[in-house]
Amino acid sequence: MKTQVAELETVQQAMKQTKDKRMHERYQAVSLFLQGYTYAQITKIVGRNEKTV
């Protein structure tokens, strides 16, 4: 569990530092997944197709 928290922090830091919109969206999807959101929920939040996520 501790490694997942560390991974989440790392992804969130990267998300804050990137200026690339596409990478920000990718980091956001990974962050949401690590927080326990389902693929269906993530697709609604980021506005992408489930196959894309």
Side-chain angles (χ1 to χ4, degrees), residues 14-47:
M15 187 171 60
K16 289 177 185 176
Q17 293 176 353
T18 189
K19 302 221 185 277
D20 184 358
K21 183 180 177 185
R22 184 172 155 214
M23 286 305 298
H24 182 275
E25 190 175 275
R26 287 180 175 190
Y27 288 136
Q28 182 182 23
V30 172
S31 174
L32 292 168
F33 180 78
L34 290 173
Q35 292 177 58
Y37 287 85
T38 65
Y39 287 113
Q41 292 170 319
I42 295 169
T43 59
K44 289 180 182 178
I45 293 169
V46 297

Side-chain angles (χ1 to χ4, degrees), residues 1-11 34:
M1 183 76 172
K2 203 169 201 179
T3 58
Q4 188 173 0
V5 171
E7 288 174 346
L8 179 58
E9 289 175 3
T10 302
V11 170
L34 290 173

